[in-house]
Amino acid sequence: MEYTIKKLSALAGISTRTLRYYDEIGILKPARINSSGYRIYGGKEIDILQQILFYKELGVNLDSIKKIITSPDFDETKALKQHYNELLARRQQLDALIHNVEKTIFNKGGKIKMSDKEKFEGFKKKLVEDNEKEFGKEIREKYGEETVKESNERFMNMTEEQYKELQDLGNEVLETLKEAYKEGNPAGELGQKAAELHKKWITFCWGNYNAEAHANLTQMYVDDERFRAHYDKEQPGCAEFLRDAVKIYTEKIR
C-alpha cells in the first residue's frame, strides 16, 4: 500500500512538516515523487518511519538514529527486540512509580500505613534500572555480578536520611573536585580531600573499600566518555584530575 505525505502524516500521528524535514536530512526519503509532485511512501518507508519513532521515543537524537538505520549492519528484527526490551524496562519503572503513588494516596487517606522507606522505593528502583541500562554491562565486567548485586541491594535498602546523605556527599565530591582542579595540584590538600571524599562516597555505595578498585574506577571515569562527561560537565579535565588524585591517595594507603 502507498501513502501520500498527508495520509502518512495522519497514519503516524506526526506533521507533514516533520516528514518533509526527514526527507531534507535524508533520514526518510519517499519511495517516489508522482506526476503531480507529491511524495509517495511505500511499505519500506513505513517500516523505517516506525524505527525512527521507536528510537525517538527512547530518547535517541536524529543524527544518531540516521547513523543506526543507514548502517549496512542494521538488523531490523534485532532492533525491534531491543525496542521491546527497553520498553518493557520503562513499563516496569512506570509500574513501580504508579504503585508508589497509589500507596501514597491510600496512606494519605488513612487506609494504609506507609513507611518512609516505601515512599522512595519507586524512585530508587528507577535510578537503579537507569544505571543498569547505561552502565550495567561495564561495571559487571569490571567488578562482577555479585558486587553489583550487593551494591544495588544496599541502595534499595537505604533510608530517606541515608539517601540524602549519599546525594549530599556526591555533590560535595563534585564541588571539592572543581575547586581542586582550579588549584591544579592532585597531590595538594584540596586534591587529596577530593580523593578522600570520593572514597567515602564509593564506600557508602559499595559497603566496603578497596584501594585498587578505587583507582581502577577513576581510570574508568577517564576511559568511558559517559563517566568522563559527568565529571567534566562543569569543568573539562576534572575526570583526569580525580584519577590522578586518587592514584596518589591510594598509593599512600596501600
Side-chain angles (χ1 to χ4, degrees):
M1 187 165 181
E2 293 187 328
Y3 298 86
T4 63
I5 191 169
K6 186 176 180 180
K7 288 183 178 179
L8 181 57
S9 168
L11 178 71
I14 59 176
S15 68
T16 56
R17 182 179 178 182
T18 297
L19 288 170
R20 290 190 186 96
Y21 179 66
Y22 288 172
D23 185 4
E24 289 172 15
I25 65 174
I27 194 171
L28 178 64
K29 291 284 187 182
R32 61 187 176 87
I33 305 294
N34 69 9
S35 57
S36 301
Y38 291 110
R39 294 173 173 87
I40 303 297
Y41 299 85
K44 179 182 176 183
E45 290 71 40
I46 297 296
D47 290 344
I48 292 172
L49 180 58
Q50 184 189 40
Q51 289 290 344
I52 292 169
L53 296 181
F54 275 140
Y55 278 116
K56 280 192 68 181
E57 184 64 27
L58 295 168
V60 183
N61 63 54
L62 284 176
D63 286 341
S64 298
I65 296 172
K66 184 178 178 181
K67 290 176 183 175
I68 293 168
I69 65 177
T70 59
S71 167
D73 299 326
F74 180 68
D75 184 326
E76 186 177 354
T77 301
K78 184 178 178 181
L80 285 168
K81 288 179 180 177
Q82 181 182 359
H83 297 324
Y84 177 75
N85 290 331
E86 291 183 359
L87 289 168
L88 278 181
R90 181 178 292 186
R91 185 174 72 180
Q92 289 172 355
Q93 292 173 357
L94 288 172
D95 285 345
L97 289 173
I98 290 168
H99 181 61
N100 193 272
V101 171
E102 287 175 343
K103 288 177 71 175
T104 303
I105 291 170
F106 288 133
N107 178 65
K108 295 295 183 184
K111 294 182 179 179
I112 63 170
K113 182 68 176 176
M114 194 176 186
S115 69
D116 290 339
K117 178 185 172 185
E118 287 178 305
K119 292 175 184 176
F120 292 90
E121 277 182 351
F123 300 104
K124 289 192 290 185
K125 185 176 181 181
K126 185 177 186 304
L127 285 171
V128 168
E129 289 174 348
D130 286 348
N131 187 65
E132 281 286 339
K133 179 180 174 183
E134 189 165 8
F135 306 114
K137 182 180 178 181
E138 289 87 347
I139 58 179
R140 274 177 167 74
E141 287 175 353
K142 204 164 190 70
Y143 300 107
E145 177 70 36
E146 195 59 35
T147 299
V148 175
K149 182 181 176 182
E150 289 176 3
S151 179
N152 287 343
E153 287 177 354
R154 181 178 176 81
F155 180 76
M156 287 299 299
N157 288 325
M158 282 183 185
T159 64
E160 181 184 354
E161 292 76 17
Q162 288 173 325
Y163 179 60
K164 185 178 184 305
E165 184 181 346
L166 179 64
Q167 286 186 310
D168 290 344
L169 186 55
N171 291 333
E172 189 179 359
V173 170
L174 293 176
E175 287 300 316
T176 305
L177 179 60
K178 189 165 62 174
E179 292 303 312
Y181 181 85
K182 292 177 183 177
E183 187 182 80
N185 182 11
E189 184 178 347
L190 273 177
Q192 290 304 288
K193 181 182 178 183
E196 172 70 22
L197 286 169
H198 194 259
K199 171 193 173 183
K200 290 181 180 178
W201 182 77
I202 62 172
T203 302
F204 207 128
C205 296
W206 293 350
N208 54 59
Y209 179 74
N210 179 283
E212 183 179 0
H214 189 190
N216 289 339
L217 179 66
T218 53
Q219 180 62 53
M220 186 168 70
Y221 290 168
V222 174
D223 296 338
D224 191 303
E225 62 183 18
R226 294 164 299 176
F227 286 103
R228 182 194 283 265
H230 173 71
Y231 284 95
D232 286 2
K233 184 177 181 181
E234 293 189 19
Q235 175 59 65
C238 277
E240 290 187 4
F241 185 92
L242 178 61
R243 176 202 58 192
D244 295 342
V246 167
K247 183 174 185 293
I248 294 166
Y249 178 84
T250 54
E251 285 175 350
K252 289 179 182 177
I253 63 174
R254 283 187 196 183

